[in-house]
């Protein structure tokens, strides 16, 4: 921010607040910025008038909220200012500017659409944010705020906006005769907040100390295995001459082909560094997907990357082996096969609203139940889906035959889910851009939630809720969280957000296991490196080098402890499954370089030997 911007900001606040605040709380006179800009309009106070005005207030009464007439101002009177809900910043500025007065917030709130009735989620979350900002100003900044008043008690006529918006805690039907006042969700929320005198810590949100069971699958997920498709000396049958004297390059000899050796997966050297990274994180499992865009770069079969396709045949061979294992060896060796579900949690925006709860359940069935119910439940699509689509006259959802249902139902050994965030849903249509007409649902977020750079909300308790919902719907099946992660600022040296995210979400998984009895068998963080998932990785990637971020070390500590050890928690009782070797990563990732250096050393020794031999032979000839 430049000095000019600071002066403009100060001028804006002088015109809005200082007009009255400076004479009363400072020196009895108008701000200098107003006097210099409006010298012909502002009166001059005498010294006796200044003394009479100064100090004529027992507290600073503040009204803060949307300036509904803001757009009516002349542009030059706005001083480039924009509306902002940052109440905490304003309270701190008032405290410093006007000699630490007691502040009473006498009017504060927001507004919703005039069509919104009693479930005013948008207003409720703005109210929550404002009161949280006030609490932070008191506790963290030392501002002396002595009271808070929400605006307003009931819906009314809002100046030039008329009845097109609503700002009340109580709903009023303006077309009815009796005008009965009905409490909105915001009123119930505010009532509960007053009873609690703020936001007391909830027991369910406190960190839990404890460990996961022995054999818990700690893993990392990635989009796909990175494969270097450059032909190696083993997979390239061509013969080359090294043009040492001129171009210094290899020149292919036309018409001459060497004996081709059968290629193997280990020929792809790019796999080795990734395995070394997995060892460094201390995880026992790795989940990845096939990169079909790399196999079919044009999106069809006109151009097929045969080198990569061969590599993925190795993976397919592994998958076929698992299918064979499933058919012939499952009973004896207990193999496991399943399907991974995308399962972000859907929370009712208004917990007091039955309609919001119904909307949330509908979205969960469409998002998760669509695939989960046939496999883990009844063998058919969710009843909620069929009823809703029939209501919408959409009959595209197929019906399974009895034989198909028998084949589909129970075709799993565990339940795998990917979870990243939580979304709020409301049945009231407030924002057309985020309204889903197909499901009649308004998507929104709690503006007090922490967000990533890409605006993904960090809501750890959502993971615990979705695990419990899965258990309620599909029984006590073994569960694996196969992907869970967040993006962070790629330019930040410390990826603090990811560190907080991983610790908080793993702790919620621990609560689900310890407190709720969820049969949780494993957790996979997303993702391994920024190379395949930019901004999501535990490792930065640049110029064929992987650099661990602080979040990787934090996750490794959780893995090593098999959870969260406390002062009263016993140490890890599970047997060690690996030996820590800090040098291994170096040698694994630089094996080719070390071989080359060894060759240079060997060549140097041979050269010295030859020089010594011929120099000695030359001396003999001379004699």
């Amino acid at each position: 921010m430049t000095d000019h911007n600071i002066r403009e900001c100060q001028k804006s606040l002088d015109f809005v607040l200082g007009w009255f605040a400076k004479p009363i709380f400072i020196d009895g006179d108008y701000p200098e910025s107003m006097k210099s800009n409006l010298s012909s309009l502002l009166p001059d106070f005498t010294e006796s008038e200044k003394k009479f005005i100064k100090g004529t207030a027992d507290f600073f009464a503040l009204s803060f909220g949307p300036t509904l007439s803001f757009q009516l101002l002349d542009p030059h009177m706005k001083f480039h200012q924009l509306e902002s809900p940052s109440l905490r910043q304003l309270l701190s500025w008032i405290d410093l500017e006007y000699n630490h007065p007691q502040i009473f917030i006498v009017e504060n709130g927001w507004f919703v659409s005039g069509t919104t009735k009693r479930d005013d989620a948008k207003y409720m979350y703005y109210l929550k944010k404002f009161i949280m900002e006030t609490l932070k100003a008191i506790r963290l900044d030392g501002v002396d705020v002595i009271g808070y008043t929400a605006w307003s008690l009931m819906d009314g006529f809002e100046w030039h906006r008329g009845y097109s918006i609503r700002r009340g805690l109580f709903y009023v039907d303006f077309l009815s005769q009796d005008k009965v006042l009905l409490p909105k969700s915001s009123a119930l929320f505010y009532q509960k907040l007053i009873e609690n005198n703020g936001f007391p810590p909830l027991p369910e949100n406190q960190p839990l100390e404890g460990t996961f069971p022995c054999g818990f699958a700690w893993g990392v997920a990635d989009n796909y295995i990175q494969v270097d498709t450059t032909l190696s000396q083993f997979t390239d049958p061509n013969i080359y001459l090294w043009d040492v004297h001129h171009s210094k390059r290899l020149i292919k000899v036309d018409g001459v082909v060497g004996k081709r050796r059968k290629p193997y997966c280990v020929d792809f050297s790019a796999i080795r560094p990734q395995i070394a990274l997995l060892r460094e994180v201390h995880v026992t499992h790795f989940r990845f997907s096939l990169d079909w865009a790399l196999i079919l770069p044009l999106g069809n079969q006109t151009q097929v990357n045969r080198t990569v396709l061969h590599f993925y045949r190795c993976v397919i061979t592994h998958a076929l082996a698992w299918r064979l294992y499933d058919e012939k060896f499952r009973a004896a060796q207990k193999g496991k096969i399943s399907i991974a579900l995308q399962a972000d949690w859907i929370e009712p925006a208004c917990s007091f609203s039955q309609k919001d709860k119904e909307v949330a359940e509908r979205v969960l069935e469409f998002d998760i139940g669509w695939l989960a119910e046939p496999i883990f439940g009844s063998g058919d699509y969710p009843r909620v889906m069929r009823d809703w689509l029939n209501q919408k006259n959409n009959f595209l959802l197929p019906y399974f035959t009895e034989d198909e249902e028998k084949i589909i139902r129970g075709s799993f050994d565990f339940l795998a889910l990917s979870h990243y965030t939580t979304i709020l849903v409301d049945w009231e249509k407030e924002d057309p851009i985020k309204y889903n007409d197909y499901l009649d649902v308004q998507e929104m977020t709690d503006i007090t939630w922490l967000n990533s750079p890409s605006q993904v909300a960090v809501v750890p308790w959502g993971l615990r809720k979705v695990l419990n919902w899965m258990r309620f719907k599909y029984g006590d099946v073994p569960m694996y969280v196969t992907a869970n992660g967040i993006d962070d600022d790629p330019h930040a040296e410390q990826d603090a957000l990811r560190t907080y995210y991983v610790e908080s979400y793993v702790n919620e998984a621990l609560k689900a296991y310890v407190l709720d009895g969820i049969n949780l068998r494993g957790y996979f963080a997303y993702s391994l490196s920024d190379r395949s998932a930019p901004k999501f990785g535990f490792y930065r990637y640049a110029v064929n080098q992987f650099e661990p971020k602080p979040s990787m070390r934090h996750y490794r500590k959780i893995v090593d402890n098999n959870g969260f050890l406390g002062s009263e928690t016993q140490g890890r009782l599970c047997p060690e499954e690996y030996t820590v070797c800090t040098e291994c990563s170096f040698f694994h990732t630089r094996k080719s370089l070390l071989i080359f250096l060894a060759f240079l050393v060997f060549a140097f020794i041979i050269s010295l030997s030859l020089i010594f031999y011929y120099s000695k032979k030359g001396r003999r000839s001379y004699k």
Side-chain angles (χ1 to χ4, degrees):
M1 180 176 288
T2 65
D3 292 340
H4 174 73
N5 290 337
I6 294 175
R7 287 193 298 270
E8 290 294 298
C9 184
Q10 179 69 34
K11 187 186 299 182
S12 171
L13 289 168
D14 283 343
F15 272 68
V16 174
L17 290 177
W19 191 350
F20 293 93
K22 186 173 179 291
I24 294 173
F25 291 94
I26 301 298
D27 58 6
D29 201 1
Y30 295 119
E32 290 300 323
S33 61
M34 291 191 70
K35 293 168 69 175
S36 60
N37 281 272
L38 303 173
S39 58
S40 61
L41 299 177
L42 288 177
D44 292 323
F45 295 124
T46 64
E47 291 301 320
S48 61
E49 288 175 330
K50 291 179 182 179
K51 292 180 181 180
F52 182 76
I53 295 170
K54 181 181 176 181
T56 55
D58 296 315
F59 56 87
F60 193 110
L62 175 66
S63 174
F64 183 83
T67 308
L68 301 180
S69 58
F70 184 76
Q71 64 271 29
L72 302 180
L73 293 175
D74 292 333
H76 72 278
M77 293 295 292
K78 295 181 181 180
F79 304 108
H80 305 289
Q81 63 180 325
L82 300 174
E83 286 185 289
S84 170
S86 301
L87 177 56
R88 178 185 175 185
Q89 288 180 308
L90 179 61
L91 291 172
S92 296
W93 182 85
I94 292 172
D95 178 67
L96 295 173
E97 187 76 7
Y98 300 115
N99 295 328
H100 314 292
Q102 289 186 323
I103 303 174
F104 199 122
I105 301 173
V106 296
E107 181 181 327
N108 178 233
W110 208 251
F111 63 92
V112 294
S113 169
T115 60
T116 300
K117 297 183 179 179
R118 297 181 62 183
D119 291 332
D120 56 339
K122 177 183 175 182
Y123 180 96
M124 182 178 70
Y125 286 111
Y126 267 98
L127 189 64
K128 178 183 177 183
K129 178 178 177 62
F130 290 138
I131 298 175
M132 277 190 169
E133 293 275 292
T134 302
L135 184 60
K136 290 177 183 177
I138 296 171
R139 294 292 181 85
L140 303 179
D141 306 330
V143 180
D144 189 7
V145 181
I146 61 174
Y148 178 92
T149 306
W151 179 272
S152 65
L153 178 63
M154 59 185 178
D155 295 332
F157 185 83
E158 296 294 342
W159 300 97
H160 75 283
R161 296 283 188 95
Y163 296 110
S164 65
I165 63 172
R166 294 177 180 271
R167 301 186 67 187
L169 295 170
F170 284 79
Y171 172 76
V172 178
D173 183 355
F174 298 117
L175 300 180
S176 67
Q177 293 294 325
D178 48 10
K179 305 291 190 298
V180 176
L181 300 182
L182 300 174
K184 301 181 185 179
S185 293
S186 57
L188 301 176
F189 165 79
Y190 192 41
Q191 179 188 41
K192 189 70 175 178
L193 188 144
I194 293 172
E195 291 175 359
N196 295 329
N197 196 31
F199 304 92
L202 299 176
E204 60 267 26
N205 290 338
Q206 301 307 303
L208 178 68
E209 294 179 356
T211 58
F212 291 91
C214 293
F216 190 78
W218 290 104
V220 175
D222 217 338
N223 290 341
Y224 49 85
I225 290 182
Q226 294 290 341
V227 182
D228 184 2
T229 60
T230 304
L231 291 174
S232 71
Q233 58 178 322
F234 302 109
T235 57
D236 186 358
N238 296 299
I239 303 298
Y240 298 86
L241 292 177
W242 189 3
D243 186 4
V244 179
H245 301 289
H246 297 93
S247 65
K248 310 296 184 182
R249 296 181 179 180
L250 294 176
I251 301 175
K252 186 171 71 172
V253 179
D254 295 332
V256 181
V257 179
K259 184 178 180 180
R260 182 189 292 270
R261 178 180 69 78
K262 182 180 179 180
Y264 298 96
C265 291
V266 294
D267 291 337
F268 297 88
S269 59
I271 298 176
R272 299 190 185 102
Q274 293 174 80
I275 294 176
L277 298 182
L278 294 174
R279 289 179 179 272
E280 189 175 23
V281 184
H282 295 178
V283 294
T284 57
H285 294 70
F286 179 50
R287 179 203 168 192
F288 64 92
S289 303
L290 303 183
D291 185 7
W292 294 108
L294 191 59
I295 296 176
L296 304 174
L298 299 182
N300 53 52
Q301 298 184 18
T302 58
Q303 180 179 336
V304 180
N305 190 329
R306 298 291 177 182
T307 306
V308 176
L309 183 59
H310 166 74
F311 170 77
Y312 282 131
R313 280 180 185 149
C314 296
V315 180
I316 292 171
T317 301
H318 170 75
L320 292 174
W322 270 101
R323 288 184 178 275
L324 181 64
Y325 189 91
D326 179 47
E327 295 173 0
K328 296 187 177 182
F329 304 103
R330 173 185 298 280
Q333 301 182 5
K334 311 300 181 185
K336 298 178 181 179
I337 299 173
S338 190
I339 183 173
L341 305 170
Q342 173 61 35
D344 287 335
W345 178 242
I346 306 298
E347 180 77 3
C350 298
S351 60
F352 313 100
S353 169
Q354 183 60 35
K355 288 186 177 181
D356 277 8
K357 293 177 182 178
E358 293 172 0
V359 166
E361 187 67 21
R362 179 162 68 243
V363 176
L364 284 169
E365 292 288 10
F366 270 80
D367 284 358
I368 303 174
W370 195 341
L371 293 177
E373 181 63 26
I375 298 172
F376 300 93
S378 63
D380 192 15
Y381 294 118
R383 173 52 53 188
V384 171
M385 286 188 68
R386 291 205 179 278
D387 292 344
W388 182 258
L389 293 177
N390 288 338
Q391 178 183 331
K392 292 285 186 178
N393 295 321
N394 185 329
F395 304 104
L396 297 178
L397 201 62
Y399 284 87
F400 300 117
T401 65
E402 290 186 6
D403 290 339
E404 288 173 333
E405 287 188 4
K406 290 179 181 179
I407 294 173
I408 296 170
R409 185 179 183 184
S411 57
F412 69 93
D413 296 301
F414 58 89
L415 193 156
L417 61 101
S418 300
H419 175 87
Y420 300 95
T421 188
T422 291
I423 300 171
L424 297 176
V425 292
D426 185 19
W427 74 275
E428 295 266 25
K429 187 174 183 178
E430 180 68 32
D431 182 1
I433 297 177
K434 295 184 178 180
Y435 189 80
N436 186 331
D437 292 293
Y438 184 68
L439 295 178
D440 289 352
V441 58
Q442 177 73 63
E443 294 184 1
M444 62 176 57
T445 186
D446 184 338
I447 59 175
T448 66
W449 284 348
L450 183 65
N451 286 282
S452 73
S454 63
Q455 297 304 304
V456 175
V458 179
V459 193
W461 50 259
L463 175 58
R464 183 181 177 187
K465 284 200 172 188
V466 78
L467 289 172
N468 275 275
W469 186 84
M470 292 283 201
R471 197 257 305 270
F472 174 78
K473 292 288 295 184
Y474 310 119
D476 189 27
V477 298
M479 297 187 195
Y480 290 80
V481 179
T482 53
N484 177 240
I486 195 73
D487 64 293
D488 205 350
D489 184 357
H491 304 294
E493 184 174 347
Q494 304 290 329
D495 57 338
L497 177 62
R498 182 175 297 103
T499 299
Y500 169 78
Y501 181 98
V502 169
E503 174 160 344
S504 301
Y505 274 80
V506 174
N507 199 261
E508 290 296 319
L510 180 65
K511 293 176 187 176
Y513 168 70
V514 174
L515 303 180
D516 306 331
I518 301 297
N519 190 4
L520 188 62
R521 301 291 184 86
Y523 172 90
F524 291 69
Y526 179 83
S527 72
L528 182 60
S529 75
D530 287 341
R531 186 181 182 187
S532 61
K535 300 187 292 185
F536 279 84
F538 281 133
Y539 287 85
R540 295 184 180 88
Y541 176 79
V543 197
N544 294 323
Q545 293 294 322
F546 294 93
E547 178 189 355
K549 302 177 184 178
S551 59
M552 185 282 287
R553 300 183 182 92
H554 193 75
Y555 181 52
R556 183 173 62 188
K557 181 180 178 181
I558 295 174
V559 172
D560 290 343
N561 292 332
N562 200 32
F564 300 89
L565 301 180
S567 56
E568 300 180 0
T569 308
Q570 292 184 352
R572 178 175 177 174
L573 301 178
C574 301
E576 295 288 342
E577 298 181 358
Y578 56 84
T579 302
V580 178
C581 176
T582 56
E583 296 82 11
C584 295
S585 175
F586 177 87
F587 290 109
H588 274 291
T589 57
R590 297 167 175 82
K591 187 175 293 183
S592 300
L593 177 61
L594 292 174
I595 293 173
F596 179 71
L597 291 176
F599 172 79
L600 290 180
V601 172
F602 177 77
F604 178 74
I605 294 173
I606 294 297
S607 300
L608 287 178
S609 300
L610 291 174
I611 292 172
F612 178 79
Y613 172 79
Y614 282 107
S615 62
K616 188 175 182 180
K617 184 177 180 181
R619 287 197 298 271
R620 289 177 180 173
S621 300
Y622 179 78
K623 291 178 179 179

